[in-house]
Amino acid sequence: MSASTVDSHGHAIPHAAGHAHGGSSVGHFINTYVFSRDHKIIGLQFLFSTLLWFLVGGLLALGIRWQLAWPWHDMPVIGRMLFSPEGGQISPEFYTMLFTMHATVMIFFVIIPILAGAFGNYLIPLMIGADDMAFPTLNMLSYWFMWPAFLCIGSSFFLPGNGAASGWTSYPPLSAVWEAAPGSGMAQTMWLLGITFVGISSMMGSVNYMTTIINMRAPGMTMFRLPLTIWAMFITAILQAFALPVLTAAGFMQLMDRTIGTGFFLPEGLVVNNSMAATGGGQPLLWQHLFWFYSHPAVYIMILPAMGMVSDIISCFARKPIFGYKPMVYSISGIAGLGFIVWGHHMFISGMNPVLGMTFMVATMLIALPSAVKVFNWLGTIWGGKVLFTTPMLFATSFVSMFIIGGLSGIFMAATPVDIFIHDTYFIVAHFHYVLFSGTAMAVFGAIYFWFPKMFGRMMNETWGKVHFFFTFVFLNGTFYLMHILGAVGFPRRLADPYHYETFAHLQPMNQFITICAIGMVSTQIIFAINFIYSMFYGPSVGRNPWHANSLEWTAPSPPGHGNFDFQPIVYRGPYEYGSPEVDTDYYPQIQPPPTHPKGTVPPKHH
Amino acid sequence: MGRFWSLLFLLVPVLGVGAFVFAAADVWPIHGHWLPDNINDHGGVIDSLFMFILYLTGVIFIATGIALFWFLWRYDAAKHAEPAKFTHGSHTLEVVWSILPAAILLFIAIYQMNAWADAKIRRPIESSGPDGVAGTADDVPQRPLALVTGRQFEWQIHYSGPDKEFNSEDDTVRDDVFIVNELHVPVHEEVVLQIESQDVLHSFFLPNMRIKQDVVPGMKQFVWFRANREGTFDIVCAELCGWGHYKMKGRLTVESREKFDRWLAQQYDEQQRRSFVAGTGE
Amino acid sequence: MNMTTFSSGTRRLSLLASVLCVAALLTGCESPDARFRGNMVAIRANFGDKYRTQDQHVKDIADVLAAMFGTPDEPHVPKLPDLNTAEVLDIDKLRMAAGPVGSDEFDRPRGLYRQHCAHCHGISGDGAGPTAAFLNPYPRDYRLGKFKFKSTPIGYKPTHDDLKKILIDGIPGTAMPSFALLDNDEIDALVHYVKYLSIRGEVERDLIRYAATLDLEAEPPERIVNVAYAKEKPSDFAEQLEEVQRSAARLVTQWQNARSNVMEVAPPSRDMNDPQARVAAIRHGRELFYGAVANCFSCHGDTALGDGKVSYDDWVKDPGWIDGSTNQPIAAQIPEFLALGALEPQVLRPRNLRLGMYRGGRRPIDMYWRIRNGIEGTPMPAAAFKPEGAPEDMKGLTHDDIWDVVEYLRSLPYESISLPAPQELENLRERS
């Protein structure tokens, strides 16, 4: 990074890479890389932490798949470690722990923090032309508040019951009565504390994102010149800020039910597993309302940023402006708005008043609309472009392709009568894995390949990236698609041994096929891990803008130094002016002033 | 490589629809991988709604999948020299593809409401009440045949017996029958079940009846059906209820009225057993 | 834009990747065999503080048991002369229940015990499987050879049908679910396997008691049986082998005789289906319940809510860690026993008789047996029975008295104080 590299039209300011730090070199290291207040370091800290948890979550998933394919057979590695007197056969509560912790880890430690924490942190200041977040210390705290969460939930694995085991939804009374399940003891308390810390961290992040996006945009960066990634992050932050307090409050209520004998969620006199009769007076359904009041918006927290990043990637590699920028923004906002009034669709058969179910059905049907608009706009963006099949583009395209499946299968669940049959079956498992893995996780992979050169100044290997894409794509469909078929048979979720039901006994071969695909899918990530780590150190170095993209982050050095820009960015247009007739290049960076002469009279300025 | 990737994305709708067609056609190698036999007179409507949504989404799935494939194939930068179309979108198109799906989605929602009300709100009635008009507030709802209570980890079944009252303790009638996991119901008759939970949440799921209802401690709920075929079917617990969730299997036996009455009387007699002579066994 | 330059280093990367893949494949292929766990709690209880030096005994006992009973994967029926052991332990049934979960070449199920029972009752039948510690009450430890709900008096084994009934009905109010939906021969197989584990466990306890009489430090050391050596020269261990055989034979005989020890019951003289007779029976039963002879209320409480004396059952008392004078566990010994595999002491509460929840069965005959015979392993005693023709002044319950108590107990759940309090109805939402 040379401090003198100044963009042709930028205003030269001293480069910040040599930012002076007082104190010893150890203190310098800690300030720069551990308790850093630089949004990029914090973003990378989130990225590395979440990728490690991604591995944990993936392995937990393999445990689930193993049991479903070969129930009660000795489970490799873990069965030998924990259940050797039983011949490696896991116990049923261990299975309930596996799927609880798989979901917990994937949702709270991977998907949410990798989108908001890693990419939100890294990209927001860079894409809006700010030198950092509005509140750098708060930002640092938002990362470090993840650690108590990591420790709480990590420690829950080593407590009696081997971890919380009442599902990631933690429905009382199962979760609220200590005696109700092996995992409902101390492990569940630690789980609740962990979730609270995740909530604190997210809240700090979302306050920061909102403030930064509203206040710190570069000159000329109007709201409607923001890249869609930033719009998505902005809306996500609003969603989080308004929905999270409800979950935090509910979490505390459950903690109190568990510890000081309140009865928010327990009916009077409830006895589970010969526990002391609850003082009670509460309602188990109350928890579901509070939980889903957060967790349904959370579903959009888990997908909107991915949609934003995919829009940026697709526009860049279709070399064409995004189709319908404003409708895209409106649909993101529409999803966020409707997202607050559809939580009841998780509760159609919960015992909630069925009349209420009808209103939630209408709202839920309507929320499919903005999603559909987005899909059409992505297709419109690719239409008439010049598609470059780079690795990020493949992942982004697969997001669109897979999101169509995830979106369409959602309509089945939104229809209340059909939901009676498919609720809590593998149909829903297929649905949310298509949205969260085939959707968000694929978008995250694409985003990593796309912004890697900005993060580390080096490219990831394209060939191996495509190999990684190909096998992930094939195996994920092998894994998740057939779950729709299982769901059509009524195959229920969360059963440690479904095959003793006559209705489902014949589904074991299909489950074995799914498990083999899942093993393939997880193994494929070894390619990604090696490519990632190798490229960090040995990948080919690249300049500021390897993809010839328009948005502001590509005008900063790669990787950007402390303070991000070595000039004051001034924004002249939106981020998607690819193939503009105003200039000869097929891209038109946001900071490039409009030509003073008609096209063709000024020689191209760009490297 | 652009061609290869485009074709890969074409495989999504092709294989995706293919998988459903195969499963629904019930052909080798995936026999019985479709909606289980429906034996409930009221369940068919759910199946047909499922199929309706399946056809509708299938069409959209194919259309969007092929569009995606075609755009990738057609506008592959390596194969086509012409410049990208510089357009920021089309207002008309946005309006069309907002209103059309909105109309379809609202239609689906409203179209389903009757089925939902029949399944969850309009409990069968015993008589139409004093005013003699069915569908009014004074209707007398049909009393449940049995109370099914979920507990960790079994279904306790409590028949109200001929007096149709649970736990009636006037001294002449003590006809309740208590059974575990075995639910018998008469065929071709409207059956109402009261379902409750003794401890945590469970979900009473009859795959063949298209019935599922969570049971919540402290609440009582009702499900109803009319079986149209004799046989034995699964009762499944569909809401996580603890370590033994998978064990919570019950068996539903649909049989003729005579057989049902005989069976219930037999269970009653066994339950009242007051003597034991060695060698008679159980 | 030139994307091809980015593929440099591909070859080095592929090498690294393949090395890692091979390494991943090589880790862990062998699966462990399930194994019976030695009854260390009994060793500790019998040998006291010097139990740590008894490794030779522990090993010998395991060897003897393995020779007699085989392993969890390959069970044997002990060979006992003059006894038809197959009647109690059918090897085909045992094989069906034992081993890992799966099916044999004829598609018959295998490993039923591990599929349905082991995670609570443990591979060894010690009632200490992985799930056990979280349950209240704990799962049954078969190794004491005691069973609560049966048609035979205390001290006698339950019949095959008694155990079968428990499997079919489950035990309401506990974590024992109903297995009514298993095939009849599967239930039979499981019952045989429970008997097998029980006999094996009791033989083990006998051997431990026997070992406590031997001195390992003597010269030559007094060992139970050196199995390897005894195969060549059984005569050297004649006395010990006889001891082992005697123990097993005694147990098999007891199980064989269970059927002949069943308590036959005649119906009550009153016609309980006649409302007036039943009212009279209930009234009389109530008097007896609160009377000095039956004395039910002293444990089950003045209100029959089970709020009387709290105690421990025989399974909890087994390690001998309950102090007789205070009736409390000896705190100092708890960690040591827990480390050896015992579960935390769990108190036993008298049954709340108003719930309509009958662990040992709701039939009148089941309740009669429980009152007449008591409940083995618990403080519930057998009723003082006054046979027909006994002297007038003899204290005790007659046959008909017991039936009246049964009828009273059956009416308790219907009394108004047993029914849910009216304000609880606020929680109920009835949907019409």
Side-chain angles (χ1 to χ4, degrees):
Chain A
M1 275 179 295
S2 149
S4 63
T5 318
V6 176
D7 206 273
S8 45
H9 32 262
H11 306 259
I13 53 164
H15 196 283
H19 199 76
H21 282 280
S24 65
S25 63
V26 176
H28 173 81
F29 179 82
I30 289 179
N31 279 327
T32 315
Y33 295 109
V34 184
F35 295 106
S36 170
R37 305 194 298 166
D38 181 342
H39 73 99
K40 297 181 293 298
I41 298 294
I42 298 168
L44 293 180
Q45 285 172 328
F46 265 113
L47 184 66
F48 290 128
S49 314
T50 48
L51 285 177
L52 283 176
W53 278 106
F54 201 11
L55 177 70
V56 174
L59 294 176
L60 289 167
L62 287 190
I64 302 171
R65 284 312 321 173
W66 180 268
Q67 174 74 5
L68 281 176
W70 297 284
W72 314 127
H73 283 57
D74 50 311
M75 186 175 279
V77 189
I78 200 85
R80 299 181 70 184
M81 273 162 55
L82 296 174
F83 297 98
S84 87
E86 282 77 30
Q89 164 191 335
I90 64 162
S91 66
E93 70 268 19
F94 193 79
Y95 177 79
T96 57
M97 182 284 287
L98 283 176
F99 63 69
T100 302
M101 294 306 261
H102 164 68
T104 305
V105 165
M106 286 302 198
I107 289 167
F108 293 109
F109 288 174
V110 182
I111 296 289
I112 293 178
I114 206 171
L115 291 172
F119 285 102
N121 256 313
Y122 200 93
L123 295 178
I124 288 174
L126 278 168
M127 287 182 121
I128 64 171
D131 55 355
D132 206 320
M133 285 284 184
F135 309 115
T137 310
L138 195 67
N139 205 18
M140 175 185 83
L141 285 175
S142 107
Y143 175 69
W144 286 105
F145 263 87
M146 284 303 281
W147 275 90
F150 293 160
L151 293 177
C152 284
I153 289 185
S155 70
S156 133
F157 283 113
F158 303 98
L159 290 165
N162 293 111
S166 48
W168 82 277
T169 51
S170 189
Y171 278 2
L174 186 66
S175 56
V177 179
W178 279 65
E179 292 85 350
S184 292
M186 201 57 198
Q188 179 69 23
T189 303
M190 295 314 277
W191 186 91
L192 284 164
L193 284 174
I195 298 308
T196 307
F197 281 115
V198 175
I200 295 171
S201 160
S202 299
M203 184 54 88
M204 290 175 169
S206 57
V207 168
N208 215 345
Y209 300 162
M210 283 193 281
T211 317
T212 307
I213 294 171
I214 292 173
N215 279 338
M216 310 257 303
R217 300 190 308 274
M221 181 63 98
T222 61
M223 283 309 267
F224 281 115
R225 283 180 183 170
L226 286 174
L228 287 171
T229 304
I230 302 303
W231 261 110
M233 295 287 180
F234 182 55
I235 300 288
T236 303
I238 295 175
L239 273 176
Q240 269 195 340
F242 285 90
L244 244 175
V246 177
L247 179 75
T248 310
F252 271 108
M253 285 155 85
Q254 194 177 103
L255 265 178
M256 286 195 277
D257 274 10
R258 296 174 51 77
T259 50
I260 61 171
T262 56
F264 293 111
F265 306 125
L266 300 174
E268 184 181 335
L270 181 82
V271 174
V272 185
N273 190 18
N274 294 310
S275 61
M276 294 275 283
T279 329
Q283 239 296 2
L285 287 189
L286 174 62
W287 166 267
Q288 299 185 25
H289 283 290
L290 296 176
F291 180 84
W292 288 114
F293 187 82
Y294 164 74
S295 292
H296 194 80
V299 172
Y300 299 111
I301 291 166
M302 291 180 246
I303 188 98
L304 289 180
M307 289 174 160
M309 298 193 296
V310 162
S311 307
D312 278 15
I313 295 171
I314 286 185
S315 176
C316 175
F317 293 112
R319 312 308 297 166
K320 185 170 168 285
I322 196 87
F323 198 88
Y325 175 88
K326 281 195 178 174
M328 287 295 239
V329 172
Y330 297 145
S331 48
I332 294 177
S333 317
I335 290 175
L338 284 170
F340 276 105
I341 54 162
V342 297
W343 81 88
H345 68 219
H346 298 267
M347 301 171 59
F348 283 152
I349 62 154
S350 66
M352 180 181 73
N353 190 332
V355 179
L356 210 48
M358 290 183 167
T359 40
F360 279 120
M361 164 162 66
V362 175
T364 306
M365 285 289 177
L366 284 182
I367 207 167
L369 178 63
S371 312
V373 169
K374 292 190 78 73
V375 168
F376 295 141
N377 278 318
W378 286 317
L379 291 175
T381 307
I382 298 173
W383 166 79
K386 283 179 78 70
V387 179
L388 298 169
F389 289 90
T390 60
T391 308
M393 180 61 174
L394 290 173
F395 276 104
T397 314
S398 82
F399 172 92
V400 177
S401 172
M402 301 289 96
F403 182 73
I404 291 172
I405 300 179
L408 290 177
S409 61
I411 296 177
F412 290 80
M413 263 86 68
T416 43
V418 178
D419 186 64
I420 295 174
F421 180 63
I422 56 179
H423 186 94
D424 265 330
T425 68
Y426 262 74
F427 204 91
I428 177 85
V429 178
H431 163 72
F432 63 68
H433 279 99
Y434 260 96
V435 179
L436 290 183
F437 187 88
S438 317
T440 303
M442 293 297 265
V444 163
F445 281 131
I448 289 176
Y449 282 99
F450 188 61
W451 277 291
F452 192 89
K454 185 54 56 186
M455 291 170 171
F456 302 104
R458 293 172 186 277
M459 291 298 286
M460 281 178 82
N461 185 293
E462 272 286 300
T463 313
W464 282 104
K466 285 172 181 165
V467 172
H468 169 224
F469 166 75
F470 177 78
F471 284 109
T472 308
F473 186 75
V474 169
F475 282 131
L476 85 84
N477 280 297
T479 305
F480 299 124
Y481 198 81
L482 293 177
M483 290 182 181
H484 291 114
I485 307 287
L486 294 178
V489 193
F491 192 70
R493 304 161 71 175
R494 295 174 165 179
L495 294 190
D497 179 5
Y499 308 113
H500 67 122
Y501 288 104
E502 281 78 9
T503 318
F504 311 123
H506 62 292
L507 299 177
Q508 195 171 356
M510 188 174 267
N511 273 294
Q512 286 166 345
F513 176 81
I514 289 173
T515 297
I516 291 164
C517 289
I519 293 171
M521 185 164 72
V522 173
S523 315
T524 305
Q525 306 318 313
I526 296 171
I527 301 174
F528 171 74
I530 295 172
N531 194 353
F532 187 94
I533 294 166
Y534 180 91
S535 304
M536 262 171 66
F537 301 106
Y538 306 109
S541 300
V542 287
R544 295 183 176 215
N545 193 357
W547 307 115
H548 295 183
N550 287 345
S551 43
L552 286 184
E553 78 273 27
W554 300 107
T555 56
S558 298
H562 197 77
N564 292 345
F565 293 93
D566 41 12
F567 59 92
Q568 172 58 52
I570 294 170
V571 176
Y572 294 96
R573 64 188 62 76
Y576 299 114
E577 301 300 297
Y578 295 100
S580 165
E582 280 185 37
V583 285
D584 287 340
T585 48
D586 71 341
Y587 65 114
Y588 198 5
Q590 286 183 280
I591 55 163
Q592 184 174 324
T596 45
H597 304 285
K599 184 180 166 184
T601 58
V602 178
K605 299 173 190 175
H606 264 269
H607 28 274
Chain B
M1 281 303 270
R3 304 271 122 151
F4 172 76
W5 298 119
S6 314
L7 287 170
L8 185 67
F9 285 111
L10 179 63
L11 281 181
V12 172
V14 170
L15 292 182
V17 171
F20 270 88
V21 169
F22 252 85
D26 196 27
V27 290
W28 187 89
I30 46 176
H31 275 302
H33 284 57
W34 199 236
L35 304 168
D37 293 344
N38 171 38
I39 57 157
N40 180 1
D41 280 347
H42 313 322
V45 61
I46 289 177
D47 287 7
S48 42
L49 287 172
F50 181 88
M51 293 309 291
F52 168 70
I53 298 178
L54 188 66
Y55 291 135
L56 196 83
T57 51
V59 170
I60 300 166
F61 183 31
I62 296 170
T64 47
I66 288 179
L68 182 65
F69 154 74
W70 177 245
F71 295 162
L72 291 174
W73 178 279
R74 169 72 179 75
Y75 299 106
D76 179 357
K79 299 281 177 185
H80 292 278
E82 77 253 48
K85 293 185 172 62
F86 185 71
T87 164
H88 288 87
S90 147
H91 187 72
T92 324
L93 268 178
E94 300 287 351
V95 170
V96 168
W97 68 40
S98 301
I99 289 181
L100 212 63
I104 295 174
L105 288 164
L106 274 179
F107 169 72
I108 300 178
I110 292 162
Y111 184 60
Q112 314 253 337
M113 287 202 173
N114 224 10
W116 172 250
D118 283 341
K120 294 284 178 192
I121 301 173
R122 297 183 194 134
R123 176 172 157 195
I125 54 171
E126 211 147 88
S127 75
S128 48
D131 67 356
V133 184
T136 49
D138 65 343
D139 290 352
V140 179
Q142 186 176 330
R143 279 177 293 179
L145 173 77
L147 163 65
V148 180
T149 307
R151 81 160 185 103
Q152 290 177 331
F153 299 99
E154 63 192 18
W155 296 104
Q156 293 179 332
I157 291 147
H158 176 178
Y159 284 95
S160 53
D163 70 344
K164 298 191 174 177
E165 294 286 335
F166 295 114
N167 294 331
S168 56
E169 180 54 357
D170 63 35
D171 287 317
T172 49
V173 202
R174 196 189 270 173
D175 56 349
D176 291 11
V177 176
F178 298 84
I179 301 167
V180 185
N181 282 346
E182 296 237 41
L183 176 64
H184 287 234
V185 295
V187 70
H188 298 309
E189 277 181 43
E190 201 70 60
V191 172
V192 175
L193 299 174
Q194 182 178 333
I195 54 176
E196 287 180 12
S197 168
Q198 201 184 83
D199 38 38
V200 298
L201 300 178
H202 303 278
S203 189
F204 183 72
F205 178 26
L206 301 175
N208 300 87
M209 297 279 191
R210 312 293 187 256
I211 278 177
K212 192 182 283 145
Q213 178 61 55
D214 284 10
V215 286
V216 182
M219 282 174 75
K220 56 176 165 181
Q221 324 211 37
F222 299 90
V223 296
W224 48 89
F225 53 82
R226 189 160 67 197
N228 55 22
R229 181 167 6 130
E230 294 180 34
T232 57
F233 307 93
D234 279 328
I235 303 172
V236 184
C237 178
E239 180 66 69
L240 177 65
C241 58
W243 59 267
H245 173 44
Y246 73 102
K247 271 185 204 256
M248 231 176 125
K249 171 188 177 186
R251 187 190 287 144
L252 170 74
T253 305
V254 183
E255 58 198 0
S256 66
R257 186 74 202 181
E258 305 83 74
K259 273 195 198 159
F260 170 75
D261 287 339
R262 206 172 330 133
W263 173 83
L264 200 62
Q266 230 170 33
Q267 297 299 319
Y268 179 77
D269 290 345
E270 176 59 25
Q271 193 178 291
Q272 300 299 328
R273 187 180 188 125
R274 285 194 172 84
S275 67
F276 190 84
V277 182
T280 54
E282 304 265 318
Chain C
M1 302 191 52
N2 183 2
M3 300 294 171
T4 53
T5 53
F6 302 142
S7 60
S8 66
T10 306
R11 199 166 300 140
R12 252 182 305 172
L13 243 174
S14 66
L15 194 73
L16 198 58
S18 47
V19 167
L20 264 168
C21 286
V22 171
L25 281 175
L26 285 177
T27 50
C29 296
E30 206 182 320
S31 64
D33 285 333
R35 55 185 185 272
F36 286 124
R37 188 155 60 171
N39 192 345
M40 291 309 292
V41 172
I43 300 259
R44 166 72 180 77
N46 278 280
F47 286 91
D49 290 335
K50 63 181 175 104
Y51 77 97
R52 285 198 183 79
T53 60
Q54 309 300 319
D55 288 353
Q56 188 62 55
H57 277 329
V58 173
K59 193 179 165 307
D60 285 346
I61 291 170
D63 287 348
V64 173
L65 288 170
M68 279 180 92
F69 292 94
T71 65
D73 288 343
E74 199 50 62
H76 301 164
V77 174
K79 292 185 196 66
L80 300 168
D82 315 327
L83 274 176
N84 180 12
T85 43
E87 198 184 315
V88 177
L89 301 176
D90 181 334
I91 186 66
D92 289 332
K93 300 233 161 84
L94 292 184
R95 287 213 180 105
M96 202 166 152
V101 182
S103 51
D104 65 7
E105 63 269 34
F106 306 109
D107 217 28
R108 284 174 309 203
R110 279 288 159 91
L112 290 170
Y113 183 78
R114 264 181 243 179
Q115 184 175 2
H116 299 295
C117 321
H119 57 89
C120 290
H121 292 285
I123 290 284
S124 326
D126 52 5
T131 316
F134 304 101
L135 304 180
N136 181 13
Y138 290 137
R140 186 59 54 243
D141 176 355
Y142 308 135
R143 300 172 306 175
L144 272 67
K146 294 180 180 175
F147 294 84
K148 279 165 94 166
F149 305 120
K150 56 189 180 185
S151 56
T152 54
I154 289 178
Y156 296 95
K157 300 296 179 204
T159 64
H160 187 84
D161 288 338
D162 286 339
L163 293 180
K164 219 168 141 175
K165 181 171 169 7
I166 298 288
L167 258 76
I168 291 171
D169 291 349
I171 305 180
T174 76
M176 174 78 185
S178 155
F179 290 94
L181 302 185
L182 295 185
D183 286 348
N184 193 45
D185 53 336
E186 293 180 9
I187 296 177
D188 270 336
L190 285 170
V191 171
H192 275 268
Y193 199 72
V194 168
K195 290 191 233 173
Y196 161 82
L197 288 174
S198 175
I199 293 173
R200 185 190 170 281
E202 277 200 272
V203 169
E204 183 180 20
R205 294 168 66 87
D206 283 351
L207 289 180
I208 291 168
R209 271 193 290 272
Y210 177 57
T213 66
L214 304 176
D215 185 4
L216 272 183
E217 270 143 41
E219 198 53 52
E222 295 174 13
R223 292 175 55 179
I224 293 187
V225 177
N226 181 345
V227 171
Y229 185 64
K231 272 190 185 137
E232 287 160 29
K233 259 185 112 185
S235 57
D236 281 13
F237 289 96
E239 191 189 320
Q240 288 95 325
L241 285 173
E242 197 184 318
E243 184 73 30
V244 176
Q245 294 267 342
R246 194 159 48 225
S247 160
R250 176 177 59 85
L251 290 162
V252 170
T253 315
Q254 281 180 4
W255 281 96
Q256 252 168 358
N257 292 344
R259 268 158 83 96
S260 50
N261 294 319
V262 170
M263 167 153 305
E264 299 200 355
V265 179
S269 341
R270 294 185 210 265
D271 174 14
M272 297 295 184
N273 290 324
D274 170 28
Q276 275 167 356
R278 192 157 76 207
V279 169
I282 290 171
R283 193 174 301 129
H284 184 225
R286 183 184 149 82
E287 279 163 25
L288 292 167
F289 185 90
Y290 291 103
V293 179
N295 202 19
C296 308
F297 72 101
S298 70
C299 290
H300 291 284
D302 293 342
T303 50
L305 285 166
D307 47 2
K309 266 185 287 189
V310 169
S311 58
Y312 295 93
D313 63 25
D314 284 7
W315 293 271
V316 171
K317 285 182 189 160
D318 182 48
W321 55 0
I322 307 293
D323 186 335
S325 55
T326 62
N327 202 24
Q328 289 295 319
I330 303 162
Q333 291 189 3
I334 291 181
E336 196 178 353
F337 275 112
L338 293 186
L340 292 173
L343 300 171
E344 294 259 12
Q346 198 173 50
V347 296
L348 180 71
R349 292 175 200 284
R351 196 63 49 239
N352 178 348
L353 300 171
R354 294 188 177 272
L355 294 175
M357 196 187 281
Y358 304 98
R359 293 192 179 177
R362 68 163 55 242
R363 300 180 306 175
I365 179 76
D366 296 320
M367 299 169 76
Y368 181 97
W369 274 325
R370 292 210 283 286
I371 296 169
R372 172 83 188 268
N373 293 337
I375 300 178
E376 180 149 21
T378 74
M380 169 82 183
F385 186 66
K386 183 176 175 185
E388 243 170 285
E392 193 67 18
D393 57 345
M394 178 184 171
K395 286 215 163 96
L397 300 179
T398 65
H399 174 73
D400 277 317
D401 285 347
I402 294 178
W403 276 122
D404 289 350
V405 174
V406 167
E407 213 51 45
Y408 173 60
L409 297 182
R410 278 162 58 79
S411 74
L412 274 173
Y414 299 99
E415 285 188 359
S416 58
I417 77 157
S418 310
L419 297 172
Q423 65 265 32
E424 200 175 303
L425 289 170
E426 284 173 20
N427 285 335
L428 301 182
R429 184 163 73 226
E430 183 159 353
R431 193 185 293 149
S432 58

